[in-house]
Amino acid sequence: MVYNFDWSSTPLGPMDTWDPVLKNATNLCLKTEFPTCIFIDPSNWIILYNKAFAPLILPDYPALGTSVKYEEVWRETYEAYMSLAFNRVTATGKGLYFNDRPIILKRDGYDEEVFFNSTYSPIFKSDGTIYAIWCLAQETTQNVLTTRRLKLLGEFGHLTSKIESLESAFHIITKALRDNKDIPYTLIYSAKHKLNTGYESLIANLISTTFDSDDKEKRNIPDYLPESHETINLTKDANKKGRNVKVLLDDESQAVLFPIKISLDKDHVLLIVLIYGLNRSRALDNQYMEFFNLVTNQIYELLQHGKSVEDEKKQTKILADMNYQKIMFFQGISHEIKTSENSKIQGLDNGADDYLIKPFSTRELICRIRANIECTNLRRKILSHRYKQEDIKQLLLSIINTIFSESDLDKTLLYITKEIYRRLPCEKIFIISNEPFKNNKIVIPYENDSEDLTPLINPFTEINDNNTSNTQLCTRSQKYFNEYLGVDISLDEYCDEVHKNVSILSVEIRLDNNIWGWIKVHRSQNSFWSDSEIELLQQISNHISLAITYAKLLEEIGEKEIQIKVVEFANNAKTQILANTSHGLVL
């Protein structure tokens, strides 16, 4: 295409009249595999490019032989991004390098923000004057987006210590999402719903937005958002719960809706709708949607933590009230004893014998002692729950640190599996991949595993208060998890791995809305699984999804870095070839 082009129709004239240096540069440009173009003649800057560079030329732009300086469709791009670089190269005679430079290009009918690594190097004629500029370009958009999005996901891990309640979690989350380029705005709606009832007239209220002021008193929502700002009717979309929904706003921008549920008690759940705005300069591709999924998972974890803190405060208040009642009880006994002694003295003085009457009955004393014992048991339960929550928080933080410090996915999964084994009373743990052509299976412990896997003090041991309702509640919870949350529980099933019947808890590991694999935990048959154990595996499942995504992103980034280094090597080789060619011509 280049050699057959009618260059005589351009200010450059026929190709056979070109300076030998430019001919050599053209041959090198066309033979290289990397996106390369040459801008020729400083008075016009006429473009010549190879096949690899062609995809970077927009469909509406003219092809070869076009002046980027004067052609109407090129002029805006030249004046905005190229003129300053070209002037600097021609003035100094030195090349320039741009790393992750943002540029707005029109792709698929709309403006898209893209990023490039690019070089601009001068090409000298035999007389030493600059006749053209050599440009190598490599698009780095996906690398920039990946780094930017991973940074946001990492920042979520530092928000846990700031959360004091479920309500504070809403506002902390939206504050962390302010001024985010990938999520221009976020709105969070919630509605309390009673289980096993319909969704008729279910109204969700707006709880928090990225448009809220720090004092939470002012809210400046733009006009282009839907008119009903404060409430939305969930009745129409009741059948769509559990799926994300894409919507088109009044200004033709887009948003996506993600529903999640937080369990309040055994009878109620909090339905939450997350509305994310889309970056107008980004296409809603699979990577963008997966980013929204990861953000939603992190928000779910933070809201769950806020609920746990709130429950702990309520239990602490109950404990304080019980302590107060206990103190008042003993003070009452002391007062009554003193009153009794005074009555004795007074009775002796008066010759009366009613001092033998007790200040309270034996039954009342026994009831008060039982209340004191119950208060002690409640304190033990609260301390046990607090220890369990702190241990889980430290475990999840250590998993996050392992994900971002370890590039080997298998090592990360092995670490996670060992930490589960140290905390849950079980016989074996499996992490099994569902990906084709791969045999990913991590088992703890191995048959002859000599590594120290001494369990911690079991944080999931409940205080036994002889209340049989706990077993029934656990059974109901297992049925609920089986139906709604990707959890499968089999209390008595034969397992080929251990050649006996066991009780199995299996939790799905989801990636891109598909099942990537499972976490499977075995213990002796007919053993029940508590809600706290199931919730822990679900939280770890979400973190494994993050680890898998992070490993894949690192692999993509590694491939891009290799390409960039090859481009730099080719650039150095090109410079050396041109220098040698110029030297040979002078001789």
Side-chain angles (χ1 to χ4, degrees):
M1 181 179 66
V2 172
Y3 291 129
N4 294 332
F5 184 77
D6 183 14
W7 292 102
S8 61
S9 62
T10 70
L12 301 179
M15 184 178 287
D16 57 6
T17 64
W18 292 3
D19 189 285
V21 173
L22 182 56
K23 290 182 180 180
N24 291 332
T26 300
N27 292 333
L28 183 61
C29 171
L30 298 179
K31 291 178 181 179
T32 183
E33 295 292 331
F34 301 101
T36 309
C37 71
I38 304 174
F39 299 96
I40 311 167
D41 183 11
S43 61
N44 295 287
W45 292 131
I46 295 173
I47 189 171
L48 180 154
Y49 52 86
N50 65 0
K51 183 177 180 180
F53 195 86
L56 304 182
I57 302 295
L58 301 182
D60 295 336
Y61 281 25
L64 298 172
T66 300
S67 171
V68 300
K69 192 173 183 179
Y70 298 112
E71 183 68 32
E72 196 63 34
V73 294
W74 275 101
R75 186 176 300 172
E76 182 177 349
T77 303
Y78 173 75
E79 293 177 353
Y81 305 108
M82 301 164 63
S83 61
L84 185 62
F86 284 13
N87 292 337
R88 184 173 175 183
V89 171
T90 54
T92 63
K94 298 179 180 179
L96 294 176
Y97 175 73
F98 294 98
N99 183 42
D100 297 331
R101 189 184 191 190
I103 298 176
I104 301 296
L105 295 179
K106 189 175 291 295
R107 288 180 173 176
D108 300 325
Y110 67 93
D111 290 339
E112 180 179 353
E113 183 184 39
V114 295
F115 297 84
F116 284 93
N117 286 346
S118 57
T119 62
Y120 294 99
S121 304
I123 298 177
F124 295 93
K125 293 176 65 175
S126 304
D127 59 4
T129 59
I130 295 177
Y131 187 51
I133 291 180
W134 178 284
C135 173
L136 286 95
Q138 181 72 46
E139 184 170 354
T140 60
T141 303
Q142 199 56 51
N143 289 353
V144 173
L145 295 179
T146 297
T147 303
R148 191 167 72 190
R149 292 169 181 175
L150 283 177
K151 180 180 178 182
L152 173 64
L153 295 173
E155 289 173 353
F156 275 120
H158 302 295
L159 300 180
T160 306
S161 60
K162 300 179 182 180
I163 294 176
E164 300 177 352
S165 65
L166 184 58
E167 181 181 358
S168 72
F170 286 118
H171 298 288
I172 290 173
I173 289 168
T174 50
K175 186 176 180 180
L177 289 171
R178 286 183 194 170
D179 303 322
N180 187 276
K181 293 184 178 180
D182 293 299
I183 309 178
Y185 61 85
T186 303
L187 293 84
I188 303 180
Y189 288 83
S190 72
K192 187 176 181 180
H193 176 60
K194 187 175 182 179
L195 295 174
N196 302 321
T197 61
Y199 289 85
E200 293 79 8
S201 303
L202 187 60
I203 301 299
N205 297 310
L206 184 58
I207 301 299
S208 181
T209 78
T210 50
F211 305 111
D212 296 352
S213 60
D214 291 335
D215 57 11
K216 306 175 187 177
E217 294 181 358
K218 296 180 181 180
R219 179 174 290 161
N220 300 316
I221 298 181
D223 295 335
Y224 57 78
L225 292 180
E227 294 181 2
S228 180
H229 296 159
E230 299 301 325
T231 62
I232 57 175
N233 191 337
L234 296 181
T235 305
K236 297 179 180 179
D237 292 324
N239 294 327
K240 297 181 180 179
K241 62 185 188 301
R243 300 178 180 179
N244 57 71
V245 180
K246 303 172 187 177
V247 297
L248 186 66
L249 302 184
D250 295 343
D251 67 341
E252 297 186 356
S253 64
Q254 288 182 313
V256 289
L257 282 65
F258 282 80
I260 57 177
K261 291 189 291 187
I262 301 294
S263 177
L264 297 178
D265 51 52
K266 64 179 182 179
D267 296 322
H268 297 87
V269 295
L270 189 66
L271 300 178
I272 299 171
V273 178
L274 303 170
I275 301 180
Y276 302 121
L278 270 62
N279 186 332
R280 290 172 177 269
S281 300
R282 295 254 63 83
L284 187 58
D285 52 18
N286 292 335
Q287 290 84 356
Y288 204 175
M289 186 59 73
E290 178 58 25
F291 168 67
F292 283 125
N293 284 324
L294 292 174
V295 170
T296 301
N297 290 340
Q298 292 295 309
I299 290 177
Y300 174 80
E301 298 294 339
L302 293 174
L303 293 178
Q304 285 280 34
H305 176 73
K307 177 65 170 55
S308 299
V309 173
E310 204 169 84
D311 291 343
E312 185 175 336
K313 287 183 177 180
K314 290 180 180 179
Q315 292 176 343
T316 303
K317 185 178 184 303
I318 293 174
L319 178 61
D321 291 341
M322 294 290 289
N323 283 333
Y324 175 76
Q325 294 296 330
K326 180 179 70 173
I327 293 171
M328 295 303 295
F329 164 70
F330 285 112
Q331 286 180 347
I333 291 178
S334 176
H335 174 71
E336 290 171 357
I337 291 174
K338 290 181 180 179
T339 302
S340 176
E341 291 177 350
N342 291 335
S343 298
K344 289 179 183 179
I345 296 172
Q346 184 178 3
L348 289 172
D349 292 340
N350 297 329
D353 60 358
D354 60 351
Y355 64 90
L356 295 175
I357 301 174
K358 296 179 181 180
F360 46 82
S361 66
T362 302
R363 179 176 295 178
E364 182 181 0
L365 177 61
I366 292 174
C367 290
R368 293 185 179 185
I369 292 174
R370 286 178 175 173
N372 188 40
I373 293 173
E374 290 178 359
C375 178
T376 302
N377 287 335
L378 180 60
R379 183 188 298 110
R380 292 173 60 196
K381 286 185 178 182
I382 292 175
L383 291 176
S384 174
H385 177 74
R386 184 179 299 172
Y387 167 75
K388 177 181 68 175
Q389 293 297 322
E390 182 62 27
D391 182 73
I392 291 175
K393 181 174 70 174
Q394 294 300 325
L395 171 61
L396 297 178
L397 288 175
S398 68
I399 291 175
I400 285 291
N401 291 333
T402 303
I403 290 173
F404 288 112
S405 61
E406 178 59 64
S407 59
D408 190 328
L409 177 60
D410 287 342
K411 291 183 179 180
T412 301
L413 296 180
L414 182 62
Y415 169 79
I416 292 173
T417 311
K418 289 180 179 179
E419 291 301 314
I420 298 175
Y421 182 77
R422 296 178 67 221
R423 284 166 172 79
L424 291 185
C426 59
E427 297 177 358
K428 275 188 180 293
I429 299 177
F430 302 83
I431 295 183
I432 303 173
S433 171
N434 193 34
E435 289 188 316
F437 310 112
K438 290 187 178 181
N439 186 23
N440 289 345
K441 179 184 288 187
I442 294 180
V443 183
I444 290 294
Y446 299 110
E447 291 299 329
N448 298 311
D449 196 346
S450 60
E451 187 172 352
D452 182 16
L453 290 175
T454 304
L456 301 174
I457 299 175
N458 182 14
F460 297 97
T461 301
E462 303 292 344
I463 302 299
N464 183 12
D465 56 359
N466 297 323
N467 187 353
T468 58
S469 65
N470 286 343
T471 301
Q472 298 173 356
L473 176 60
C474 182
T475 304
R476 289 195 299 271
S477 297
Q478 289 171 4
K479 181 179 179 182
Y480 171 77
F481 282 125
N482 278 337
E483 291 178 353
Y484 298 105
L485 298 178
V487 176
D488 184 55
I489 298 175
S490 301
L491 299 182
D492 189 4
E493 181 177 326
Y494 183 79
C495 178
D496 292 331
E497 299 286 347
V498 295
H499 308 294
K500 64 179 181 179
N501 284 22
V502 295
S503 177
I504 302 176
L505 168 62
S506 176
V507 177
E508 294 177 356
I509 303 172
R510 303 195 69 86
L511 190 68
D512 295 330
N513 294 322
N514 296 317
I515 299 176
W516 180 89
W518 302 267
I519 309 175
K520 293 182 180 288
V521 185
H522 294 179
R523 62 169 58 146
S524 59
Q525 64 185 110
N526 297 322
S527 297
F528 285 91
W529 301 91
S530 67
D531 291 354
S532 58
E533 292 172 325
I534 297 171
E535 290 173 359
L536 174 65
L537 284 193
Q538 286 183 306
Q539 291 174 326
I540 291 177
S541 170
N542 291 332
H543 283 67
I544 291 177
S545 298
L546 176 61
I548 296 167
T549 302
Y550 183 66
K552 290 184 177 181
L553 293 176
L554 284 181
E555 184 178 349
E556 293 178 3
I557 291 173
E559 293 176 355
K560 295 295 184 181
E561 289 179 348
I562 292 174
Q563 294 178 4
I564 291 172
K565 289 187 176 182
V566 173
V567 169
E568 293 177 354
F569 176 80
N571 188 33
N572 293 334
K574 175 267 302 180
T575 303
Q576 186 64 40
I577 291 172
L578 293 178
N580 292 339
T581 303
S582 176
H583 179 70
L585 291 172
V586 171
L587 293 177

